[in-house]
Amino acid sequence: MTQSPQDPTDEPDDESPRKKRRERKPRSFWRELPILILVALVLSFLLQTFVARVYLIPSESMEPTLHGCTGCTGDRIVVEKIGYRFGDPKPGDIVVFRGPDSWNNEFVSQRSDNSVIRGAQEVGSLIGVVAPDENDLVKRVIATGGQTVECCDEQGRVLVDGKPLDEPYVQMDFPFTPGTMTCDTELKSGRCFDPVTVPDGNVWVMGDNRSNSRDSRYHVTDEFTGTVPLDNVIGKAVFIALPPSRTGILDSPDIQGR
């Protein structure tokens, strides 16, 4: 059998799709950069909204556990948002929450009056580079729904359901001197407050700096008797991220001895 001459049309085509793909120039970095930025922003938004966010401590109400004061560099804490989707805050947890209405009297919005700048601030808030325009507070959970909290026993300790709490983190408190300044003397200690039963679905919170914290004790006349609804709780503070000298894990001690 004789082999027929090769048809010129059967020769490899130099312009075949495969060769075109091989010879295609890589995308320019500058063309891909906007896509990379968009992906990073979307990931940041998802992480900040559903997983964790960094908050700045602005006041002294949680000293010495968390450092913050007017005009100084406060601690930056990592607040995780996942745990409370599967369970409620426990006594001893440090939580960040949105202040109920009665807690917001002194809150001043940090947003600009300029609509363009304000819009940029709102976008920055979504991706975590600008603080949310809301009164976010940080305190420690002392009692939960159904428990009764009051102060004080003969040693000046906070009681929950009649049992004193173990609170080694409290290093700054109002004076309490048996026989001279207690809850029964004419001149009462600043620690004292009447019993409050926490409504179901709420928590009673207090600052570790008991002598300088506007916490549940200062809002007992509001609609929640000073407590905070669980719907207002953003998450649990778990870690001090900055400054480096204070970096470390935040404990949640078993203050009720359960």
Side-chain angles (χ1 to χ4, degrees):
M1 181 182 291
T2 58
Q3 187 173 2
S4 59
Q6 186 175 8
D7 190 335
T9 59
D10 293 338
E11 294 181 0
D13 184 359
D14 289 344
E15 299 300 322
S16 66
R18 181 178 299 176
K19 187 169 184 179
K20 286 181 180 179
R21 286 196 296 270
R22 287 200 304 266
E23 294 180 350
R24 185 177 296 163
K25 292 182 179 180
R27 283 188 177 183
S28 165
F29 169 76
W30 297 109
R31 292 178 60 186
E32 292 189 349
L33 183 59
I35 298 176
L36 295 175
I37 292 175
L38 178 61
V39 170
L41 293 177
V42 170
L43 288 175
S44 178
F45 167 75
L46 293 175
L47 287 172
Q48 299 274 353
T49 302
F50 300 108
V51 180
R53 186 172 190 136
V54 175
Y55 287 83
L56 172 67
I57 302 302
S59 73
E60 303 173 30
S61 69
M62 285 294 292
E63 292 278 6
T65 306
L66 299 175
H67 179 64
C69 60
T70 304
C72 70
T73 301
D75 291 342
R76 292 186 180 272
I77 58 173
V78 177
V79 176
E80 66 91 3
K81 302 182 177 183
I82 296 178
Y84 292 155
R85 297 181 185 275
F86 304 98
D88 294 335
K90 297 178 180 179
D93 288 355
I94 299 173
V95 296
V96 170
F97 60 95
R98 291 179 293 274
D101 290 343
S102 72
W103 299 58
N104 298 331
N105 294 334
E106 298 180 4
F107 173 69
V108 178
S109 173
Q110 300 300 310
R111 294 295 186 256
S112 172
D113 293 333
N114 183 292
S115 59
V116 175
I117 297 177
R118 185 169 61 253
Q121 290 173 327
E122 291 296 343
V123 173
S125 177
L126 291 176
I127 60 175
V129 297
V130 177
D133 192 32
E134 59 189 20
N135 188 25
D136 293 336
L137 304 166
V138 57
K139 306 292 180 189
R140 193 181 295 271
V141 176
I142 300 300
T144 56
Q147 295 186 319
T148 298
V149 58
E150 62 184 304
C151 193
C152 304
D153 70 355
E154 294 180 354
Q155 298 180 38
R157 295 175 295 184
V158 174
L159 302 170
V160 173
D161 290 340
K163 298 180 180 179
L165 301 183
D166 180 16
E167 300 187 279
Y169 46 79
V170 176
Q171 298 182 23
M172 290 172 275
D173 207 339
F174 292 106
F176 190 94
T177 308
T180 304
M181 184 182 292
T182 66
C183 298
D184 299 320
T185 56
E186 184 176 354
L187 180 61
K188 287 190 176 183
S189 169
R191 299 186 188 189
C192 304
F193 59 89
D194 293 333
V196 174
T197 298
V198 182
D200 289 336
N202 290 38
V203 289
W204 177 275
V205 296
M206 297 173 70
D208 289 359
N209 183 356
R210 296 290 158 81
S211 58
N212 190 10
S213 176
R214 287 190 168 275
D215 47 42
S216 289
R217 296 169 294 171
Y218 291 85
H219 301 279
V220 292
T221 59
D222 71 9
E223 60 179 319
F224 302 118
T225 59
T227 62
V228 176
L230 292 179
D231 289 343
N232 285 47
V233 176
I234 296 170
K236 178 181 178 181
V238 294
F239 192 77
I240 299 177
L242 291 172
S245 61
R246 288 181 50 79
T247 298
I249 296 174
L250 292 169
D251 292 331
S252 296
D254 180 15
I255 62 176
Q256 294 186 11
R258 293 184 171 183

